[in-house]
Amino acid sequence: MHPRVVVIIAVVLALLGTLFNLPQRAVEAATKKPDIVLFYLDDNAPYPARLWNDPARTPNLAKFANNGLEFRNAVASTPLCGPARANVLTGQVGHNNGVTQNNIKPFDQRGTISPKLRNKGYKTAFAGKHVNRIKTVYWNRSLMGRLSNDWDSFDIIWENPAKFYRWRQYRKTGNVHFGSAPNDHSSYQAAKRASYIIRNTRKGKPLFLVVSLYDGHAPLTPMKRFEDHPACADIGGWSGPAYDEANVSDKPRWVQKHPRLSEPGYALRDRCESMLTADWVVGQVVKSLVDSGRHYDTLQVLTADNGWLMGDHRLTGKANAYATDVPLYMRWPKVLKNQGRSLREPVSNVDLAPTFCAIARCTIKDADGKSLLPLIKRKKASLDRKYVWIEYLHNQYGYRPNSTKRPAWAGLQTTIRYDQKNMWSYVQYRTGEEELYNLTKDPHRLRNLAAWSGYKARLGDLRKLWRQSWNRDGVRWRSVADQ
């Protein structure tokens, strides 16, 4: 519905409420904006999807995978926990919002989505893991009060690093300590707080809720009820096309230095049990949405802060250009119904904040991302941009030339607008090395085309686009100590 039409309806209903003494809550309910719930996982690649798409194993997550809207080419603009979380909340990539590694010090809460949604009438709430190393910078309640000021509810893990058991929760009303009992698991408590918030939000009041779980992050500790669960006994290992890649001679030198892996596949059992925990949390929160009558008009988003390599190109972990891919699914019964749909257009985590703001009818000044609403509502097949930007501007700690340590890098992934037939990935390292992949034909990045003579023109064009972004935003390589 057009924003002007909505405003007119609201005014008419308000007048009717005045003339006929209609209850204010009835007027609010008739004009209420959609609710938004973000389920935010930790360290999860978009594969293997069998971790969450089996209704017999993870029935609540499977509804996202099988009956929701999938953005199958979603990326984390900075594939590391802290920067990725700042990117989602601000709609900006790290070189613009200041958070380029796991250090929250440059983070400015005032530039995030929460105060903007509050100004549009939303109740804003956050439950679970916030940005990494939060206790280092916000080490007392006075400092935490500044961080939480723009949230109505702010119930987060106040530890370095985040924990599953034996942890402290910051609340605006006072700290709560948890031990090692089964229900002390941080994901259980995130679900409990999220459900409480939903059930205690006044009817007619729109809600923006982030349910941020530590699940997916090492040490992969599930809720006790899911430890050694039989549902994960036969999950098997992951050995996708890029697993333990035999020939890495076309890769940068730091990748070439990595030896072959000794295992036939990446073990998934612990990760599977983490997904059982996440599935339970999603189930509890959705039940609260249903019970409160909010589910039908709630945009529910399921994604992860960054990807995770499971032996791809002989590597494990994150913070490199192969770990940008993330799962991204959406459900919105009123708009998307219950029909599974998949979109090819590449999107970024910095698009989430502009999307949420578009729903609330606000804007984010200087956002790097774009609203996904035109894609969600089928008004467009692609967005008005040629690429999404990806980066990690710091050398891996302890980097030395000719070692297995990763140098800093920055790159871009093209959209349909750039090339209707193929999507491309271009990455430039601080060492001057380059990678070029045709992601449509080679989604697992097995053939680096940067040195192929037949792709010289393509390489030159993408190198030009890269340089334009680099110069426009004043991007620079950074030292480990920059933050």
Side-chain angles (χ1 to χ4, degrees), residues 365-410:
K365 184 180 179 181
D366 300 324
D368 294 310
K370 288 183 172 290
S371 169
L372 302 179
L373 269 185
L375 302 180
I376 295 170
K377 294 187 173 183
R378 299 179 185 264
K379 293 182 178 180
K380 290 184 178 180
S382 63
L383 297 176
D384 185 25
R385 62 184 173 195
K386 292 184 177 181
Y387 58 87
V388 293
W389 183 262
I390 52 177
E391 67 181 19
Y392 192 74
L393 303 174
H394 303 259
N395 290 338
Q396 188 174 355
Y397 186 78
Y399 169 78
R400 294 290 184 275
N402 298 316
S403 73
T404 59
K405 299 293 185 179
R406 172 199 45 73
W409 59 271

Side-chain angles (χ1 to χ4, degrees), residues 400-460:
R400 294 290 184 275
N402 298 316
S403 73
T404 59
K405 299 293 185 179
R406 172 199 45 73
W409 59 271
L412 51 87
Q413 182 171 325
T414 67
T415 66
I416 298 171
R417 184 172 178 232
Y418 174 80
D419 181 350
Q420 292 290 330
K421 295 181 179 179
N422 299 300
M423 292 176 295
W424 300 86
S425 172
Y426 170 76
V427 171
Q428 185 176 135
Y429 290 86
R430 195 171 189 170
T431 58
E433 296 170 288
E434 297 174 297
E435 290 187 274
L436 173 67
Y437 298 99
N438 182 332
L439 294 180
T440 302
K441 298 179 180 179
D442 181 22
H444 301 284
R445 300 173 173 87
L446 297 175
R447 293 192 303 167
N448 181 9
L449 305 174
W452 290 37
S453 60
Y455 295 90
K456 187 175 181 180
R458 179 71 67 190
L459 179 66

Side-chain angles (χ1 to χ4, degrees), residues 8 14 122 125 137-138 179 182 207 241 280 285 290 311 342 345 362 385 394 410 427-428 433 438-439 469 482:
I8 292 171
Y122 274 76
V137 177
Y138 297 90
L207 174 64
W280 182 87
V285 174
V290 172
S342 180
E345 172 78 349
C362 61
R385 62 184 173 195
H394 303 259
V427 171
Q428 185 176 135
E433 296 170 288
N438 182 332
L439 294 180
S469 277
D482 271 345

Side-chain angles (χ1 to χ4, degrees), residues 9-292:
I9 292 174
V11 171
V12 171
L13 286 171
L15 289 173
L16 289 174
T18 302
L19 291 172
F20 298 104
N21 296 317
L22 292 175
Q24 182 64 25
R25 290 186 180 181
V27 174
E28 290 177 350
T31 60
K32 188 182 82 67
K33 297 168 184 174
D35 295 318
I36 304 166
V37 177
L38 170 62
F39 295 106
Y40 206 27
L41 307 180
D42 209 317
D43 290 359
N44 271 276
Y47 56 83
R50 66 177 184 272
L51 285 168
W52 56 77
N53 68 5
D54 185 349
R57 183 182 290 120
T58 53
N60 300 297
L61 297 181
K63 290 177 181 177
F64 279 91
N66 301 326
N67 304 105
L69 173 61
E70 177 189 14
F71 292 86
R72 64 178 186 268
N73 291 300
V75 302
S77 51
T78 308
L80 187 68
C81 296
R85 291 165 182 273
N87 296 352
V88 164
L89 292 172
T90 63
Q92 293 181 321
V93 296
H95 66 252
N96 284 326
N97 66 38
V99 183
T100 57
Q101 58 181 336
N102 275 338
N103 184 349
I104 194 179
K105 189 173 182 179
F107 183 75
D108 186 356
Q109 167 61 31
R110 293 169 298 178
T112 68
I113 187 70
S114 180
K116 300 180 187 306
L117 293 185
R118 286 185 78 186
N119 289 338
K120 291 297 181 178
Y122 274 76
K123 178 176 180 178
T124 60
F126 198 113
K129 177 183 175 182
H130 193 250
V131 178
N132 291 54
R133 300 182 185 175
I134 191 169
K135 195 75 165 61
T136 301
V137 177
Y138 297 90
W139 53 272
N140 62 35
R141 285 194 57 82
S142 176
L143 293 170
M144 283 295 292
R146 300 177 194 175
L147 184 64
S148 65
N149 185 55
D150 290 313
W151 295 88
D152 294 300
S153 295
F154 198 66
D155 309 322
I156 69 163
I157 303 172
W158 197 22
E159 299 283 354
N160 288 336
K163 296 180 179 179
F164 294 108
Y165 290 105
R166 299 185 181 278
W167 59 287
R168 178 187 309 179
Q169 183 184 68
Y170 171 87
R171 295 184 191 173
K172 299 182 80 167
T173 55
N175 297 343
V176 182
H177 295 261
F178 296 95
S180 56
N183 290 350
D184 287 337
H185 192 282
S186 56
S187 295
Y188 179 95
Q189 291 300 323
K192 182 178 179 180
R193 292 302 297 171
S195 295
Y196 175 84
I197 290 163
I198 293 169
R199 296 174 189 276
N200 287 275
T201 298
R202 178 169 50 82
K203 189 173 182 180
K205 179 80 169 177
L207 174 64
F208 172 64
L209 171 63
V210 180
V211 186
S212 179
L213 307 182
Y214 195 38
D215 298 286
H217 199 291
L220 293 172
T221 304
M223 289 168 53
K224 292 187 185 297
R225 70 182 70 188
F226 298 122
E227 290 180 356
D228 301 319
H229 199 281
C232 294
D234 62 347
I235 190 68
W238 167 255
S239 55
Y243 180 81
D244 192 27
E245 187 176 359
N247 183 3
V248 292
S249 61
D250 62 337
K251 299 294 187 291
R253 288 188 297 273
W254 70 277
V255 179
Q256 296 178 34
K257 295 291 182 179
H258 282 265
R260 296 292 300 273
L261 302 177
S262 58
E263 299 297 326
Y266 185 93
L268 292 177
R269 175 147 191 171
D270 288 348
R271 191 162 288 274
C272 175
E273 291 171 358
S274 289
M275 287 301 99
L276 294 182
T277 299
D279 182 79
W280 182 87
V281 171
V282 170
Q284 294 298 303
V285 174
V286 170
K287 183 178 186 301
S288 296
L289 290 172
V290 172
D291 292 346
S292 63

